[in-house]
Amino acid sequence: MLQDSHLIEKLQRFDRERIPERVVHARGTGAFGDFVSTADISDLSIAQVFKPGTKTPVFVRFSTVMGYRGSPEQARDPRGFAIKFYTTQGNWDLVGINWPIFFIRDAIKFPDFVHANKPSAVTGVQDANLAFDFFAHTPEATNMLTHLYTDEGMPDSYRHMDGFGVHAFKLVNAQGQVHYVKFHFKSEQGVHGIRPQDIPNSIGADWNLMTNDLYHALRTGDDPKWDLYIQVLNPQDLNKFDYDALDDTKIWSNVPERKIGTMTLNRVPDNYFDTTEESAFAPSRMVPGIEPSEDRMLQGRMFAYADTQMYRLGANFNSLPINRPRVPVVNNNQDGKMNFGERKGEVNYEPSTLGEIPQDPRYKYVQTPLSGTTQQMTIHKTFDFQQAGEYYRTLSDQDKQDLVTALSADLNHVTNDTNKYTMLSYFYKADADYGTRLVSATHANLSRVKMLASNLSDN
Ligand code: HEM
């Protein structure tokens, strides 16, 4: 009977249990822990999280990128490495991945990159033919593709990978001086991937290998650790490289790294949905002393995350327990769906002399003079192939062979001849040995590849 409101509401409530999954990085695993700073970098940043000895609680969410929420965790894919630092100045999110670079350098290409790599709009199945149709027009992806098809493209555990902030960020000290910085979390457990011939057995054995491995370690007290290293550049040195130092498809070669702290993960969350699913990470979430650089991808990301989270979780997503800072928040936000009204008092505006909490916007971004033109065009120093070649040449013979095996397997699915040869020319341009081995593994014509590669620009 309709009068059975328990039945009705229980079914209604059940009917509404699902929320939109993340548009990317939908499959993820969360863990709690802490970050301890070990070096004095007050000459670089006023951020309290970096004060030596400071222990900051963190929540980390690891993820694959392209798969749906329940998809197998072993896929050839970058891995998300998103960290929320609950600092005494509010939250700082470092939303990175397991490699130091990315596929593209222009934010406007991100939806296209994702569409080409997600399952086909017709079959719902991922298709290398579509992915390489995009990459054949995206030579800047050559460096990242070379990382993706090594064994590290199939990590055997979330514990066995590094984490990178990828972009350049700015650190700002008490005098308002700026340094550009890159963040690198190095796994104390080492970095291991799965070799191509072991992939079928490994995936067949456990679709949830990454989560099971991490949670088993945490539950048995085998807490994983990562040491945080930074690379630092003076603003005047940004232009000293052949490549553009704000291009996220490039590493900063030959810039020394220094260790500034250690992160330890130690606790499995009690509730998947309340934590891992409802967590909202955003590169724009920063604290005084840490600021975005002018990297055009990062600038695009400054918008996209809070925007998608307002859609995915609602306007009050920042008040959810997993996202809420561990310090009082004074932002005059009010109302909206699912607001549980913890803001007190009548003064929901500023400036004010009546408010109980002083409204004191002490911190503003540093001023950075900008020069140049407004433009929608490619950056000047593209250098699309050089670092891919340099990386290839650092690999062991075994790693080179695994890379060629895995990459040629996907290139062999490319039915469009022009795209296939364009891709081969990119890899040949990066390194002649790399390209030649791929040509042989894909039964292609070496002279044609060489001819195409000779038309590609060196810079
Ligand atoms: C303009 C380029 C990009 C756009 C527009 C973009 C957009 C997004 C969006 C909309 C989400 C879902 C967020 C959510 O629902 O909470 C997401 C997640 C994520 N993105 Fe990006 N992204 C971009 C580039 C990147 C890059 C370069 C990296 C790596 C450095 C990255 C790493 C991540 C990670 C790790 C997550 C998952 C965060 C989590 O675990 O919740 N993204 N991205």
Side-chain angles (χ1 to χ4, degrees):
M1 302 291 285
L2 271 180
Q3 72 189 47
D4 189 350
S5 58
H6 292 118
L7 165 71
I8 307 281
E9 283 185 29
K10 183 167 178 174
L11 295 186
Q12 281 185 306
R13 179 66 189 69
F14 174 72
D15 292 347
R16 289 163 178 76
E17 275 183 9
R18 294 289 167 272
I19 62 168
E21 67 173 33
R22 287 166 176 79
V23 65
V24 279
H25 295 263
R27 176 78 210 255
T29 305
F32 288 104
D34 52 58
F35 171 74
V36 178
S37 285
T38 52
D40 182 1
I41 58 163
S42 52
D43 56 326
L44 298 175
S45 176
I46 54 170
Q48 293 295 307
V49 63
F50 296 136
K51 230 173 116 190
T54 305
K55 189 174 186 176
T56 303
V58 298
F59 178 69
V60 174
R61 184 174 178 275
F62 300 111
S63 51
T64 53
V65 182
M66 295 300 167
Y68 293 129
R69 210 185 109 172
S71 55
E73 289 186 303
Q74 292 203 330
R76 191 162 295 283
D77 214 4
R79 295 300 189 279
F81 198 118
I83 309 170
K84 191 178 286 293
F85 298 82
Y86 300 95
T87 89
T88 52
Q89 297 170 294
N91 290 353
W92 171 40
D93 291 356
L94 189 64
V95 195
I97 51 172
N98 60 332
W99 292 314
I101 49 169
F102 201 66
F103 296 95
I104 54 172
R105 59 166 80 96
D106 292 295
I108 197 168
K109 279 193 178 181
F110 189 78
D112 304 299
F113 155 71
V114 172
H115 291 172
N117 283 277
K118 278 255 189 191
S120 140
V122 172
T123 62
V125 177
Q126 267 184 316
D127 185 347
N129 202 34
L130 301 174
F132 284 110
D133 188 29
F134 175 82
F135 289 129
H137 301 277
T138 313
E140 64 268 35
T142 308
N143 198 8
M144 183 73 164
L145 286 170
T146 303
H147 283 72
L148 179 68
Y149 281 93
T150 63
D151 297 350
E152 285 183 38
M154 282 271 179
D156 65 358
S157 151
Y158 284 135
R159 296 178 300 129
H160 293 152
M161 38 179 235
D162 284 357
F164 295 84
V166 175
H167 308 282
F169 293 87
K170 282 177 181 167
L171 292 184
V172 184
N173 68 15
Q175 290 73 44
Q177 290 164 328
V178 172
H179 290 85
Y180 287 84
V181 66
K182 288 210 182 201
F183 297 104
H184 179 183
F185 278 93
K186 290 191 191 180
S187 168
E188 287 193 10
Q189 297 69 240
V191 174
H192 300 296
I194 303 173
R195 301 196 49 209
Q197 65 267 35
D198 298 328
I199 290 169
N201 282 343
S202 163
I203 294 184
D206 185 358
W207 277 29
N208 305 302
L209 179 80
M210 308 287 277
T211 303
N212 289 336
D213 170 86
L214 179 68
Y215 286 180
H216 176 76
L218 295 177
R219 287 188 169 123
T220 54
D222 182 14
D223 297 344
K225 290 182 192 296
W226 285 262
D227 296 320
L228 176 58
Y229 287 75
I230 52 171
Q231 286 178 298
V232 181
L233 276 185
N234 281 314
Q236 62 268 27
D237 290 336
L238 267 191
N239 287 323
K240 75 175 187 185
F241 303 97
D242 293 337
Y243 50 86
D244 184 332
L246 297 180
D247 172 0
D248 71 352
T249 68
K250 303 294 183 299
I251 57 164
W252 286 352
S253 37
N254 302 321
V255 178
E257 291 188 319
R258 61 195 265 209
K259 183 177 159 187
I260 62 163
T262 300
M263 178 174 79
T264 307
L265 296 183
N266 51 28
R267 186 157 65 85
V268 177
D270 294 330
N271 183 309
Y272 181 87
F273 189 86
D274 289 359
T275 55
T276 307
E277 197 58 17
E278 288 196 313
S279 56
F281 298 86
S284 54
R285 200 146 297 123
M286 294 180 179
V287 290
I290 308 174
E291 298 188 10
S293 73
E294 296 75 29
D295 172 337
R296 44 168 87 184
M297 273 289 275
L298 179 57
Q299 289 293 323
R301 297 180 74 200
M302 294 293 285
F303 162 76
Y305 290 69
D307 179 60
T308 197
Q309 288 149 6
M310 286 192 200
Y311 162 71
R312 183 167 73 79
L313 300 164
N316 286 304
F317 73 93
N318 261 329
S319 311
L320 291 167
I322 191 68
N323 298 324
R324 183 191 301 166
R326 306 276 166 91
V327 289
V329 175
V330 188
N331 57 16
N332 297 324
N333 286 349
Q334 67 168 34
D335 305 352
K337 271 191 191 156
M338 311 303 285
N339 191 334
F340 25 99
E342 293 191 337
R343 205 191 62 75
K344 298 195 172 49
E346 288 180 301
V347 179
N348 51 4
Y349 52 86
E350 66 91 23
S352 159
T353 45
L354 302 178
E356 287 162 28
I357 305 171
Q359 309 286 307
D360 181 10
R362 264 169 297 193
Y363 191 80
K364 292 199 190 324
Y365 280 161
V366 286
Q367 282 187 7
T368 304
L370 294 175
S371 63
T373 51
T374 59
Q375 59 183 27
Q376 287 187 307
M377 54 196 285
T378 312
I379 59 172
H380 294 301
K381 297 194 282 187
T382 53
F383 260 75
D384 289 331
F385 311 107
Q386 184 181 319
Q387 288 196 356
E390 286 167 4
Y391 174 65
Y392 175 80
R393 291 188 287 278
T394 65
L395 298 175
S396 68
D397 286 348
Q398 183 65 69
D399 288 340
K400 282 181 184 161
Q401 187 49 51
D402 287 352
L403 163 63
V404 169
T405 304
L407 179 50
S408 60
D410 274 0
L411 287 174
N412 278 328
H413 288 290
V414 178
T415 51
N416 182 292
D417 208 43
T418 307
N419 284 344
K420 176 173 158 177
Y421 273 86
T422 305
M423 289 309 311
L424 288 170
S425 72
Y426 293 167
F427 298 119
Y428 187 90
K429 181 78 181 172
D431 182 278
D433 174 62
Y434 181 21
T436 306
R437 288 162 79 163
L438 283 172
V439 164
S440 148
T442 55
H443 316 291
N445 179 316
L446 185 58
S447 322
R448 184 172 161 193
V449 170
K450 278 185 178 174
M451 201 267 293
L452 287 170
S454 66
N455 291 331
L456 295 170
S457 161
D458 283 322
N459 47 38

